[in-house]
Amino acid sequence: MEKQEQQGMVEVVADKIWKFFSSVKLAVVLLIILAVVSVIGTVIQQNQAPEEYLKEYSLTTIQLFENLGFFDLYHTWWFVLLLLLFTANLTICTLERFPYAWKAMRAPLKPLEDDGFKAVPFKKEIVVKGGMEAAETTALKALHGKRYSHQLTKEQGMTHLAAQKGAYSRMGVYVTHLSIILIFVGALIGAFFGFKGFLNLPEGEASSVVYLRNEPLWDQIMDGFGISKSPVIHDPRGGVPAMPLGFYVRTDDFEVDYYANAGRPTGMPSEFWSLLSVYDLRQQKVLEKRIRVNDPLTRNGITFYQSSYGTIPNAVGKIVLNVNQKNSPGPGETIVVMPGSSVYVKSIDRTIKAVGMAPFGMRDPATGQVQYYQARNEELINPTVELEVYRGKSLAYRTQVMKVDSGEPSMPENYRISYIDYWGARYTGLQVTKDPGVWIVYAGFILLCVGPLVAFFGSHRKLWVRIQERKGQAAVLVGGSSNRNRIAFEREFNSIVETIAK
């Protein structure tokens, strides 16, 4: 008896929970809350540096917003809970109503009686010469021509045709429901198992971790309950938590190109890119890719986007030059020299000394003189190197080479020295994301485009044809209805009637 009472209580509770989640009122309330939260997340910039927030808000406001999670709103536990509730609500609503819609869509269309013909919005009666068989053949041909599926029934002295098309349009709303569920499921998977991070990586350096903007919720939950330890590395002195990648990423090279005016760089960047290499934990190179904005590198589900760059304070890079004989088609010889140092070049029997290096130089095309400018944040807009060339221990001449040169540098001997790079003085700023639910979200967006098209532009069209003998001729009564786009259906209905009447 007690077991029966317990089972009864469980059924009552389960029924109440089911009714709660299948409520349309709950869906409306959750949608309103999500809309309000989305507005907050749009107005308040997300994942900004603290100094950026200090420009807009007081310390008290910042502390309040921080406690509420408004600065990383879409990864807060309560926002994820809202998504879970709405996903459960929409899923249960769909499961509860879908069987009825599916049954109605699959149900065969029955013939209409006289009262049914009176109720349909479109009906017309015509007389067809040639008898019932001819009328039946013509009616079937007309229905097939408009791609109607039909059922034919006969009784004494009467033939019934029940035809329909577009019954699938009932599914449009459920395709839309499924698309929203997929989008939310993908977002939840991304929130639980994905992360967003950043990495400022100098040229020539590698890293096996990225620094997190948000820690995966699943790792936090498992670590909080003591089930498994989170892989995230927390600095005991504070600071930004780091996520191990499981591989190394290295910046082999970084470059910025600037817009030019009359062959002179303006200081406005036109494009910047990084040459990245990926190594496994055994230091074996796996892949290499040059990434640009909107052309990232992806490895093991982790994507590296080119987002920013900068000059490393007080860094001394390596000057890379090319020495080539004048009028020679060959690639020449690449040399590397530190600022203030010298290097002997065997191919020309000369010693080249890099006297100094400036981040922004310009050559006057009229005089050939080089002028130097102040670059913003010491940015390498047009790196210019002052060179001394020695014949043995004697100074042969001085010259300047630069990245973009509007004139020909002065080199009196039969070779040319060209600027290649100032390597090791800059870093590339990478945005790093892992979102295992992104493909589910993409699938949801595709379905979100299909569902409304089916729901709003598809229509369930029904036609009934009754043929009966009347004084050696066939009296044909045609009726029809459509759940939407009645004007188009009326044209089709009249076309079918005209075809039967011919």
Side-chain angles (χ1 to χ4, degrees), residues 290-426:
R290 177 176 295 186
I291 69 168
R292 295 179 172 85
V293 176
N294 298 324
D295 184 17
L297 178 147
T298 300
R299 175 69 179 174
N300 294 349
I302 302 172
T303 303
F304 298 84
Y305 295 90
Q306 181 70 72
S307 65
S308 62
Y309 62 90
T311 304
I312 303 170
N314 304 317
V316 178
K318 298 178 181 179
I319 300 169
V320 184
L321 304 172
N322 179 266
V323 179
N324 197 7
Q325 297 293 331
K326 291 182 179 179
N327 303 320
S328 172
E333 182 179 356
T334 300
I335 63 171
V336 179
V337 59
M338 300 293 292
S341 300
S342 303
V343 62
Y344 174 71
V345 184
K346 185 177 181 180
S347 61
I348 59 173
D349 190 24
R350 295 291 183 270
T351 299
I352 298 176
K353 181 179 181 180
V355 179
M357 186 269 174
F360 191 4
M362 298 283 240
R363 189 184 301 278
D364 187 334
T367 64
Q369 296 297 314
V370 175
Q371 299 172 321
Y372 299 97
Y373 301 88
Q374 182 66 37
R376 296 171 301 161
N377 302 321
E378 295 300 309
E379 192 171 341
L380 302 177
I381 295 175
N382 196 30
T384 303
V385 183
E386 181 89 20
L387 298 176
E388 291 181 349
V389 180
Y390 289 84
R391 184 186 303 111
K393 294 186 178 181
S394 301
L395 177 64
Y397 62 92
R398 293 186 178 89
T399 189
Q400 299 92 8
V401 294
M402 58 188 69
K403 180 180 177 181
V404 179
D405 201 343
S406 58
E408 187 71 24
S410 175
M411 295 179 190
E413 298 182 325
N414 194 35
Y415 53 85
R416 181 182 293 107
I417 304 173
S418 304
Y419 173 91
I420 300 297
D421 196 7
Y422 183 55
W423 188 85
R426 289 180 292 200

Side-chain angles (χ1 to χ4, degrees), residues 40-148:
I40 294 172
T42 303
V43 173
I44 299 175
Q45 295 188 42
Q46 302 291 293
N47 297 308
Q48 298 296 305
E51 55 268 22
E52 294 297 323
Y53 292 124
L54 284 170
K55 295 176 183 177
E56 299 186 37
Y57 310 108
S58 66
L59 285 174
T60 304
T61 304
I62 289 175
Q63 187 174 4
L64 175 63
F65 286 177
E66 184 71 35
N67 291 334
L68 292 173
F70 283 179
F71 295 140
D72 190 17
L73 189 149
Y74 302 111
H75 294 95
T76 56
W77 66 267
W78 53 266
F79 182 80
V80 172
L81 180 61
L82 280 174
L83 287 184
L84 280 169
L85 286 173
F86 188 76
T87 303
N89 172 243
L90 189 58
T91 302
I92 291 175
C93 283
T94 303
L95 291 174
E96 187 173 70
R97 292 163 177 78
F98 178 77
Y100 301 102
W102 180 258
K103 186 178 180 180
M105 186 188 78
R106 300 288 295 174
L109 201 60
K110 296 180 179 179
L112 279 186
E113 301 297 333
D114 289 337
D115 291 340
F117 273 105
K118 291 177 182 179
V120 293
F122 301 99
K123 55 181 172 291
K124 188 169 289 189
E125 187 172 13
I126 55 177
V127 177
V128 178
K129 296 180 180 179
M132 289 183 61
E133 289 188 8
E136 181 183 318
T137 303
T138 306
L140 287 172
K141 183 177 180 181
L143 293 174
H144 289 159
K146 297 296 183 180
R147 299 189 301 277
Y148 278 81

Side-chain angles (χ1 to χ4, degrees), residues 158-377:
M158 192 176 296
T159 299
H160 294 276
L161 285 169
Q164 63 178 332
K165 71 175 181 180
Y168 65 86
S169 62
R170 292 175 178 268
M171 295 294 105
V173 64
Y174 297 101
V175 173
T176 303
H177 283 191
L178 177 60
S179 69
I180 297 172
I181 291 170
L182 286 176
I183 290 170
F184 282 175
V185 167
L188 287 168
I189 291 174
F192 274 101
F193 302 103
F195 61 81
K196 290 184 179 180
F198 64 93
L199 184 63
N200 293 334
L201 199 58
E203 288 176 306
E205 294 191 14
S207 176
S208 62
V209 301
V210 297
Y211 299 96
L212 294 178
R213 300 190 187 279
N214 65 281
E215 185 176 347
L217 284 175
W218 186 256
D219 291 337
Q220 294 183 51
I221 293 170
M222 293 295 102
D223 193 47
F225 283 104
I227 298 173
S228 62
K229 185 173 177 58
S230 172
V232 176
I233 302 169
H234 293 275
D235 188 339
R237 299 167 298 178
V240 182
M243 172 66 80
L245 295 170
F247 56 86
Y248 290 91
V249 60
R250 182 180 188 271
T251 302
D252 293 332
D253 195 11
F254 174 79
E255 194 57 74
V256 186
D257 294 324
Y258 295 88
Y259 288 106
N261 183 14
R264 299 158 64 92
T266 63
M268 180 72 68
S270 62
E271 184 184 37
F272 50 98
W273 53 264
S274 302
L275 182 61
L276 301 182
S277 292
V278 174
Y279 295 81
D280 62 23
L281 297 179
R282 299 190 302 273
Q283 306 291 325
Q284 299 296 315
K285 190 171 183 177
V286 177
L287 65 90
E288 176 184 281
K289 183 176 180 180
R290 177 176 295 186
I291 69 168
R292 295 179 172 85
V293 176
N294 298 324
D295 184 17
L297 178 147
T298 300
R299 175 69 179 174
N300 294 349
I302 302 172
T303 303
F304 298 84
Y305 295 90
Q306 181 70 72
S307 65
S308 62
Y309 62 90
T311 304
I312 303 170
N314 304 317
V316 178
K318 298 178 181 179
I319 300 169
V320 184
L321 304 172
N322 179 266
V323 179
N324 197 7
Q325 297 293 331
K326 291 182 179 179
N327 303 320
S328 172
E333 182 179 356
T334 300
I335 63 171
V336 179
V337 59
M338 300 293 292
S341 300
S342 303
V343 62
Y344 174 71
V345 184
K346 185 177 181 180
S347 61
I348 59 173
D349 190 24
R350 295 291 183 270
T351 299
I352 298 176
K353 181 179 181 180
V355 179
M357 186 269 174
F360 191 4
M362 298 283 240
R363 189 184 301 278
D364 187 334
T367 64
Q369 296 297 314
V370 175
Q371 299 172 321
Y372 299 97
Y373 301 88
Q374 182 66 37
R376 296 171 301 161
N377 302 321

